[in-house]
Amino acid sequence: MRPPVLMFLLAAFAAAQLRDPRFDDPANWLTFDGDNTGQRHSRLAQIHRGNVKRLKAEWVYQTIRVPLRSEATPLVRDGMMYFTVGGTQAHALDASTGRELWSFHLQPEGDTGADWNRGMALSGNRVLMATRDCRLIALDARNGSVVWASRVRAPEPCFGTTAAPLVWNGLAYIGQRGGDTGRMRGHLDAFDVETGARKWRIFTIPGPGEKGSQTWPATDVYKVGGGATWTAGTYDPRLNLLFWPTGNPGPKDYDGSDRKGDNLYSDSVLALRPDTGELVWHYQFTPHDLWDWDANETPVLVDAQWRGRPRKLLLHADRNAHFYVLDRATGEFLMAAPFARQSWARSFTAAGRPVLNPGVVPSHRGARVCPDVHGGTNWQPPSYHPETGLFYLLARDACGIYYPNGPEYDTGSQKPLQALRAIDIQTGKVKWEIPLLGTAEISHAGTMTTAGGLVFFSSRDGQFMAADALSGALLWNFNTGGTIRAAPMTYMVKGRQYVAVVTKAAVFAFALPDQ
């Protein structure tokens, strides 16, 4: 068995090999997930297990004057913080004081969709945001002025663009929501960062004659087939692959009689060539989804030992309550294990296809299935700690009664349980958990790990917390007083580490007392 120090060095080396060199400075947090891997792991360690209990609120920036929901993770570069509020506003702050430097207020055009947004992307002097009226807008990072604006919409009406864009090699990638409407065909677009020109579009639901079209009826139903791309993906610069998750099929969420077949490429992760959108491989988590279990959860990229040899892994905790390990170079299925209460899958074939339990298909009598429609987890981003080998996520145990016209909550005696869970990626087993107390509402707050041996997380009712990433001991908490539907991040300015999180009413930044 390798000594712990050697294992930590090997983990650090593997992470460095996978990480895009643009993210070498840990003082910055440059994407929704911090870098290209989706690990949401920071190499900053000034705040650690031994001193996190001394963490204090350093500054607060109030956004309560804006009656919009914020799910954004702020970005920080060279001491400036950028974040969105709803799908219409952007702000730049001094990251050490919270002082506003500029703000941008959008007047939506025409049809508008969701009034929330998960953040921005940075590229040179451009800061990019997707909007509720289905535009991608590039702002000047220095003053907030508009550089260009482009439309992000399929031929169908606008349902909103809620993801934070992802930028790589001069292209900005963004999708659209609306898969539950029964009126759209999912797609992913790539835009030139300098000009705003669209370079390519890939539809997630194949048309007649295209690969995968045999998994749909020979009708026009593919035109409203769903498969929306409403969260951000990740990428591997060495494999030259972009990984993007997709949503549930349509036109009916719980009645598949009009869309018999597996309904590719819904509920999948797609491996794409970033310069053309060419599909290299795919894996479908829930074929012929009848329970609205979007796979719009982060594809996390990790280089690690797997069954005695190094592998390029893709980790994915799906809404269907299973944790998956795939080979990200080939799409080969390696493992699936439940991390939350589930009753729909009896087993998986060697190729990774789920084998259903009897009685789980929605029926007019009602089928009781775990998880419920909100899933064993949802879009809230997980994290991975390369030194512990653990994967951290907010999980939920709950069941629902499914009918062809929609689900109902299970009114039985078992109350839904929400918890932070740590999963051993080698076995899929839950190593420890911290139950979330004090709220019955569903939490969509994500997680983050740090080299200080910590995992940061939140509950929906405003508790911001830190735990020991190895043992699960709860070490610190702070009541922000506002709903949290966002994931935390960390950065360093002038030699001082901060941790920040967005609530419905404010941005909070925390630091150790200045000595």
Side-chain angles (χ1 to χ4, degrees):
M1 182 176 179
R2 294 188 177 97
V5 172
L6 178 57
M7 292 181 67
F8 291 168
L9 290 174
L10 289 172
F13 177 75
Q17 292 292 99
L18 172 58
R19 191 171 52 245
D20 186 325
R22 290 188 302 144
F23 308 113
D24 281 345
D25 185 355
N28 295 325
W29 186 279
L30 298 178
T31 75
F32 176 75
D33 289 314
D35 63 16
N36 58 293
T37 68
Q39 293 183 19
R40 298 190 70 88
H41 176 74
S42 170
R43 288 162 285 146
L44 296 180
Q46 187 180 92
I47 301 167
H48 54 74
R49 294 182 183 99
N51 62 18
V52 68
K53 64 183 179 183
R54 298 171 53 223
L55 208 57
K56 303 293 184 183
E58 184 69 15
W59 57 258
V60 181
Y61 176 83
Q62 298 286 343
T63 61
I64 197 167
R65 63 185 182 275
V66 183
L68 298 172
R69 173 168 121 191
S70 184
E71 298 180 346
T73 295
L75 308 183
V76 168
R77 183 179 65 188
D78 300 334
M80 284 188 66
M81 175 182 285
Y82 308 90
F83 69 99
T84 58
V85 179
T88 58
Q89 302 201 10
H91 301 272
L93 311 178
D94 181 321
S96 64
T97 66
R99 180 173 64 91
E100 183 179 293
L101 302 175
W102 57 255
S103 62
F104 167 77
H105 298 253
L106 172 74
Q107 295 299 319
E109 295 180 356
D111 296 334
T112 61
D115 62 349
W116 63 88
N117 179 275
R118 298 185 178 101
M120 303 172 119
L122 279 165
S123 180
N125 285 328
R126 305 266 199 278
V127 58
L128 292 89
M129 65 177 289
T131 67
R132 64 180 299 182
D133 60 358
C134 298
R135 284 187 283 172
L136 181 65
I137 294 180
L139 305 175
D140 190 311
R142 296 163 293 189
N143 55 34
S145 61
V146 176
V147 180
W148 53 257
S150 295
R151 284 284 178 191
V152 184
R153 60 189 302 165
E156 296 82 3
C158 166
F159 301 110
T161 45
T162 55
L166 181 69
V167 172
W168 180 21
N169 276 351
L171 293 179
Y173 306 96
I174 191 70
Q176 185 180 339
R177 67 184 293 272
D180 295 333
T181 66
R183 300 169 58 197
M184 65 93 69
R185 180 186 180 196
H187 62 89
L188 180 68
D189 288 347
F191 291 87
D192 187 294
V193 170
E194 291 301 314
T195 66
R198 184 163 57 211
K199 291 298 184 180
W200 57 256
R201 165 175 287 180
I202 178 174
F203 283 101
T204 62
I205 306 301
E210 296 176 344
K211 185 178 179 180
S213 61
Q214 70 278 9
T215 66
W216 290 86
T219 65
D220 285 347
V221 70
Y222 75 94
K223 294 180 179 180
V224 289
T229 51
W230 50 271
T231 53
T234 52
Y235 67 87
D236 184 331
R238 288 169 178 79
L239 290 177
N240 194 36
L241 287 176
L242 178 69
F243 303 97
W244 216 276
T246 68
N248 61 286
K252 298 174 183 177
D253 290 12
Y254 314 101
D255 181 355
S257 59
D258 292 336
R259 50 176 175 87
K260 293 180 180 179
D262 283 356
N263 306 143
L264 290 174
Y265 296 96
S266 65
D267 289 341
S268 300
V269 61
L270 309 181
L272 308 168
R273 291 297 178 205
D275 52 344
T276 64
E278 174 196 356
L279 179 62
V280 177
W281 62 258
H282 78 278
Y283 177 82
Q284 189 175 44
F285 301 98
T286 311
H288 192 65
D289 181 8
L290 299 171
W291 308 274
D292 194 5
W293 290 334
D294 301 63
N296 290 101
E297 292 80 45
T298 307
V300 179
L301 314 184
V302 171
D303 288 347
Q305 292 287 317
W306 180 264
R307 306 297 188 257
R309 67 184 181 95
R311 295 289 289 260
K312 296 181 179 297
L313 304 177
L314 185 149
L315 313 178
H316 177 92
D318 196 78
R319 190 162 161 175
N320 70 23
H322 286 81
F323 173 75
Y324 293 82
V325 181
L326 308 177
D327 184 310
R328 70 173 182 274
T330 64
E332 179 187 354
F333 170 81
L334 301 178
M335 185 183 74
F339 63 84
R341 188 185 305 153
Q342 74 88 25
S343 63
W344 68 280
R346 182 172 63 213
S347 61
F348 289 82
T349 68
R353 185 178 182 87
V355 179
L356 299 188
N357 278 315
V360 297
V361 173
S363 67
H364 293 290
R365 296 181 60 182
R368 184 180 186 273
V369 181
C370 314
D372 68 8
V373 67
H374 298 289
T377 190
N378 210 293
W379 66 266
Q380 58 265 24
S383 57
Y384 171 77
H385 202 302
E387 295 178 2
T388 66
L390 298 178
F391 182 100
Y392 308 85
L393 80 164
L394 287 181
R396 185 170 178 270
D397 293 331
C399 306
I401 309 297
Y402 287 84
Y403 303 90
N405 62 344
E408 293 180 0
Y409 292 105
D410 187 352
T411 56
S413 59
Q414 274 189 319
K415 183 180 179 181
L417 170 67
Q418 298 180 90
L420 173 71
R421 288 183 178 147
I423 300 172
D424 184 333
I425 70 166
Q426 299 295 328
T427 64
K429 294 186 180 300
V430 176
K431 298 291 287 187
W432 54 258
E433 70 172 38
I434 300 175
L436 300 187
L437 305 176
T439 178
E441 291 189 276
I442 299 159
S443 179
H444 291 298
T447 68
M448 172 191 68
T449 65
T450 72
L454 299 169
V455 54
F456 286 87
F457 65 106
S458 307
S459 61
R460 180 162 175 159
D461 61 355
Q463 292 287 342
F464 187 37
M465 294 167 276
D468 186 311
L470 187 59
S471 69
L474 186 61
L475 302 177
W476 173 84
N477 74 285
F478 182 93
N479 190 338
T480 64
T483 301
I484 299 178
R485 293 179 59 96
M489 50 82 70
T490 188
Y491 59 95
M492 182 171 280
V493 180
K494 298 176 182 178
R496 197 174 183 204
Q497 184 183 357
Y498 297 79
V499 178
V501 69
V502 174
T503 74
K504 185 176 182 179
V507 181
F508 283 79
F510 301 85
L512 297 172
D514 196 5
Q515 300 295 329

